[in-house]
Amino acid sequence: MRAWSRGRTLAIGLGLIALSNAVALGGVWWNRAAGPESTLTLSERELSLPWHALRNRENSGLALTLNWRIADREAGEFISGYTVNGGMPEWLDGARMQALGFTPADIASDSGRRRYTRQLPRAAIFVLELDGPAAQQALAKAQENARRHAAAATANPDSKELAERAKHAQEILTQERSGNSRLFVIDAGLDAGALRQKYPDRTRFMLLHGAVRPGVRNRGPGEPQMTGYVTRLGSGPLQVPHTLRAPLDSLRAHGEPGGGDRFSATLAIGRRLEPWLTGIAPMASPAP
């Protein structure tokens, strides 16, 4: 009886594993069956490679991290007022949060503020724009920031502090021109069809599931405003199929010695708004 019970337990366990795998594979098939909902061509600016030292040599798998940005006024001038992979968008106000299902409150009072911010995160559908007005505005801000600090340093040649600020601002501008992600979160809603109708270009706008939690933006003394903090987009790192991995094996990530190698990747998003990689190719690095 004991042997039979162990055998049955093993069979049930194996059956659950098989069922879980079948459900997962079925979801992948359903997501891709009708063809991509959108298809975007990204670069190493939007897709981060892991460092060579961190890649598991005993595991042939490789995953890329999708880098997206948010216009967040509270981020500060020396990162151009933008945050990466999380933040409080300027456009996400109280009305938008209410449309996403959050209950508004009088956040001028401590009790109202706590009541609002203690609400649980909610799922939403987010619109991401590639190399559009939001990216151009980020570049324009970095250019103006660099110009202003360079002018201050020139007018005060004996100030080491102003010289350092000008140097830092120029480094930020260089990063904005050639290193920072051009993928920005620009809108959110609960109806994918309505969002797609509003943003019809399927090569520039992608829709992804994500999560948002309540937040408060302080505009000044006595001027708090309801907003939200985007905490997550997508379902995690993008696995590189073995058939597409070869162009990436010799490339190095930004930040590591000899890093910053360039590549382009085609990202498709399916009917369940789940992304997958369909093509990868190396690109020549721009001349210094």
Side-chain angles (χ1 to χ4, degrees):
M1 177 65 69
R2 181 179 299 174
W4 178 84
S5 179
R6 289 175 179 172
R8 184 173 67 171
T9 301
L10 178 61
I12 291 174
L14 292 175
L16 289 175
I17 293 173
L19 179 61
S20 299
N21 288 337
V23 170
L25 291 174
V28 171
W29 175 84
W30 177 253
N31 182 57
R32 304 180 186 184
E37 196 278 338
S38 58
T39 303
L40 285 76
T41 301
L42 308 179
S43 73
E44 78 290 345
R45 298 171 65 169
E46 292 77 43
L47 294 166
S48 291
L49 272 168
W51 281 32
H52 264 264
L54 300 179
R55 299 182 196 179
N56 189 345
R57 299 182 183 277
E58 297 179 358
N59 185 348
S60 60
L62 178 64
L64 304 178
T65 300
L66 184 67
N67 292 324
W68 41 275
R69 300 172 68 191
I70 281 176
D72 185 342
R73 186 175 299 179
E74 296 183 356
E77 66 168 335
F78 276 113
I79 50 175
S80 300
Y82 297 90
T83 56
V84 180
N85 293 4
M88 294 189 293
E90 285 292 308
W91 48 264
L92 190 52
D93 55 15
R96 293 284 188 93
M97 290 295 286
Q98 188 170 359
L100 293 177
F102 291 94
T103 302
D106 179 13
I107 59 174
S109 67
D110 291 341
S111 60
R113 188 176 184 130
R114 286 194 299 270
R115 187 163 57 251
Y116 175 69
T117 57
R118 287 179 179 177
Q119 295 180 75
L120 295 176
R122 287 181 172 270
I125 299 171
F126 293 89
V127 181
L128 288 83
E129 177 189 61
L130 176 65
D131 202 14
Q136 294 162 9
Q137 184 180 30
L139 178 59
K141 282 187 175 183
Q143 289 172 331
E144 172 58 23
N145 195 44
R147 184 203 63 76
R148 180 163 49 86
H149 284 288
T154 300
N156 300 272
D158 296 329
S159 173
K160 292 184 178 180
E161 180 182 354
L162 293 180
E164 284 298 317
R165 284 177 171 267
K167 178 183 177 182
H168 189 26
Q170 183 59 44
E171 290 171 347
I172 290 174
L173 175 57
T174 300
Q175 184 67 15
E176 191 65 60
R177 281 174 172 161
S178 59
N180 289 343
S181 173
R182 303 161 298 163
L183 194 61
F184 281 79
V185 181
I186 62 167
D187 205 348
L190 300 176
D191 186 335
L195 289 171
R196 180 50 73 192
Q197 187 173 8
K198 186 177 179 181
Y199 303 97
D201 189 342
R202 298 173 187 265
T203 64
R204 191 159 65 92
F205 300 101
M206 73 167 79
L207 308 182
L208 288 180
H209 289 292
V212 60
R213 60 175 170 81
V216 173
R217 181 181 291 114
N218 296 302
R219 293 299 190 195
E223 298 181 4
Q225 294 184 3
M226 288 184 290
T227 183
Y229 191 100
V230 181
T231 61
R232 176 183 58 81
L233 286 182
S235 55
L238 295 162
Q239 298 298 320
V240 180
H242 183 71
T243 54
L244 301 179
R245 177 167 173 168
L248 300 178
D249 281 337
S250 62
L251 302 187
R252 295 185 177 273
H254 277 291
E256 69 176 307
D261 291 323
R262 304 191 65 206
F263 64 90
S264 65
T266 303
L267 187 70
I269 294 85
R271 64 167 72 177
R272 294 186 3 157
L273 305 185
E274 296 175 357
W276 76 97
L277 294 163
T278 63
I280 296 176
M283 297 191 301
S285 297

